[in-house]
Amino acid sequence: MLDKSRLNKLVDILIEKNVDGCLMGPSHDVEYLAGIKPFSDERFRGFYVLSDGRWFFICPELYYEEVRGALGEEAHIYVWSDGEGVLGCFEKAKADYSLDGKSLAINEGVRAIDLIDMSEYMKCRYINGDAIFEELRIKKSEEEAKLMAEAGRIADRTFEGVIKFIKPGVSEKEIANKIKELLIEFGGEELSFEPIVASGPNSSKPHYNDDKRIIEEQDIIVLDFGCRYKGYCSDTSRTVFVGEPTEEQKKVYEICLRATTEAKKAVREGIAAEEVDKVARDIITKEGYGQYFINRTGHGIGMAVHEAPYIKHGNKQILETGMCFSVEPGIYIPGKFGMRIEDIVMVDGDKARVFNNSNRDMVIL
Ligand code: CO
């Protein structure tokens, strides 16, 4: 169903930014506005919204029923068949809506080759629409927050479940499969990304995804996973130990945990995103591990697992109530080991609402 208030918000953003219209290809933006699940293929589909409030859709015949069902009877939909191709629709739409010379903001779902074809027919001034679509989805309503919280709860239960399964002799792949199984069993509708299970020396690679290694005694294992619940994502990381960790590992774990905890405590509306990063970075740097903190502190999350706001040095964006993001400072020592503890939070007035609450104490298996 088309959400009229979200559509109005998009129109307001277009007006505020002085842009004549926008075009969205298959993407979370379309899912957010119309509930049509994104998936992209070679057949062009586009949702056009103009700053005067008018809107239309260009759609291949194959998807017409789905699009008509979501947008309603009054919607203006241009349909094209495989035999005709899409170009005629570009020409008609341009004439009907006088698009020549207008500024049109493009979202990430539009393929470059479609844009090249379209620009032959619609002589618009095409601009990068990232800032527009980030603003559209960046602040979550109370209703969205509930879905994010539930996605987080499913991930937390999955962590508590999977640690019972981890022991020397099982492979990273088997652990990843167990995580997938539990996420779905506990109510997730799909994965928000492929789980990361990085054990032993692989733990120093933040986005390790090879999965071949077998767990051994004295391993550190970084687990990073999440699911989607009613369209909204979770994403959490925990670091666990097989057998007693070394003194250095205990020290590094304590630093990572303190960096995550203090960064979450710093979250409130009115401060810049980079200030949250600074809290975590100062702690890790002061302890002498600054050079091993190679990632940003966090990323926004919602319908997409990575979206605005990005919690990193140089991002002056002011945090507002409803913005959701990860807090995941880490220490990655090449060839040795790595660790991180990651929670999703939402800015809620002068504090953070935390969507992950699984055990953060040192788990020794
Ligand atoms: Co993350």
Side-chain angles (χ1 to χ4, degrees):
M1 278 293 288
L2 188 68
D3 187 315
K4 293 272 164 57
S5 75
R6 289 177 179 181
L7 187 71
N8 290 339
K9 187 173 156 198
L10 174 58
V11 170
D12 288 344
I13 297 169
L14 292 174
I15 294 168
E16 171 210 315
K17 300 215 185 284
N18 208 7
V19 175
D20 298 318
C22 64
L23 162 61
M24 293 161 275
S27 58
H28 293 301
D29 300 318
V30 175
E31 190 181 2
Y32 180 78
L33 291 168
I36 304 172
K37 283 265 187 181
F39 92 89
S40 188
D41 63 14
E42 76 285 5
R43 293 183 177 91
F44 177 86
R45 276 162 289 171
F47 187 10
Y48 295 73
V49 177
L50 306 180
S51 62
D52 60 12
R54 293 182 301 163
W55 53 274
F56 61 92
F57 210 101
I58 296 181
C59 174
E61 213 170 8
L62 202 67
Y63 300 107
Y64 175 72
E65 188 180 349
E66 178 195 359
V67 171
R68 173 62 73 196
L71 298 180
E73 280 313 308
E74 311 93 280
H76 187 189
I77 304 175
Y78 295 90
V79 186
W80 59 276
S81 69
D82 283 350
E84 295 161 347
V86 67
L87 304 177
C89 290
F90 291 148
E91 202 144 41
K92 269 186 258 159
K94 168 194 91 165
D96 293 346
Y97 290 90
S98 316
L99 294 175
D100 273 351
K102 299 279 170 61
S103 52
L104 199 68
I106 303 301
N107 92 332
E108 62 178 6
V110 178
R111 302 189 312 163
I113 51 173
D114 289 329
L115 188 58
I116 290 168
D117 285 348
M118 190 170 66
S119 64
E120 300 271 313
Y121 292 83
M122 291 183 183
K123 305 283 182 198
C124 297
R125 195 162 56 79
Y126 294 101
I127 58 176
N128 180 337
D130 261 355
I132 289 168
F133 300 104
E134 280 184 358
E135 190 175 330
L136 178 66
R137 294 186 0 231
I138 198 168
K139 283 196 274 176
K140 277 67 181 175
S141 66
E142 211 38 61
E143 196 183 318
E144 292 175 288
K146 278 193 192 123
L147 304 179
M148 299 276 302
E150 182 55 27
R153 265 193 294 276
I154 294 166
D156 290 348
R157 288 184 68 192
T158 297
F159 173 70
E160 306 295 352
V162 77
I163 54 177
K164 295 182 193 128
F165 177 82
I166 298 173
K167 56 174 184 293
V170 300
S171 68
E172 292 172 334
K173 179 124 202 115
E174 287 168 314
I175 298 171
N177 285 341
K178 188 73 184 170
I179 288 171
K180 293 185 199 182
E181 183 191 312
L182 292 175
L183 286 169
I184 303 302
E185 183 184 325
F186 294 143
E189 54 201 20
E190 60 185 344
L191 303 174
S192 48
F193 58 96
E194 278 296 312
I196 296 169
V197 178
S199 68
N202 296 332
S203 61
S204 67
K205 303 163 197 157
H207 281 175
Y208 170 81
N209 222 339
D210 196 27
D211 275 3
K212 287 192 190 70
R213 196 174 168 276
I214 308 290
I215 305 304
E216 293 171 15
E217 246 359 295
Q218 305 304 317
D219 270 353
I220 291 181
I221 312 174
V222 177
L223 305 166
D224 186 351
F225 54 87
C227 66
R228 204 178 289 279
Y229 177 75
K230 297 193 176 167
Y232 287 82
C233 293
S234 55
D235 178 7
T236 188
S237 302
R238 292 289 183 263
T239 301
V240 300
F241 301 82
V242 180
E244 193 64 21
T246 64
E247 285 312 308
E248 187 194 16
Q249 290 169 348
K250 284 183 189 167
K251 182 178 153 205
V252 170
Y253 189 86
E254 185 278 325
I255 297 164
C256 278
L257 180 56
R258 183 150 45 90
T260 298
T261 307
E262 293 303 317
K264 284 188 293 186
K265 275 195 213 157
V267 171
R268 61 180 187 279
E269 61 180 12
I271 63 167
E274 67 172 1
E275 290 178 59
V276 178
D277 181 80
K278 189 172 185 312
V279 170
R281 205 160 295 277
D282 282 354
I283 289 171
I284 291 175
T285 304
K286 212 172 143 220
E287 295 287 351
Y289 289 92
Q291 61 174 308
Y292 302 118
F293 180 9
I294 52 178
N295 56 322
R296 59 193 176 205
T297 288
H299 53 85
I301 183 167
M303 282 189 152
V305 70
H306 288 180
E307 57 181 47
Y310 293 95
I311 310 302
K312 60 176 186 181
H313 176 71
N315 187 0
K316 314 271 181 214
Q317 183 161 28
I318 300 300
L319 298 181
E320 295 178 55
T321 289
M323 290 182 182
C324 297
F325 50 84
S326 68
V327 176
E328 51 178 310
I331 295 176
Y332 306 99
I333 309 173
K336 266 178 112 177
F337 62 81
M339 297 185 199
R340 76 174 159 280
I341 297 149
E342 172 186 21
D343 290 328
I344 301 301
V345 302
M346 183 178 88
V347 184
D348 187 6
D350 62 0
K351 61 181 186 320
R353 203 186 293 180
V354 183
F355 292 148
N356 293 105
N357 293 294
S358 60
N359 191 5
R360 295 179 202 94
D361 295 335
M362 234 178 174
V363 173
I364 301 170
L365 303 167

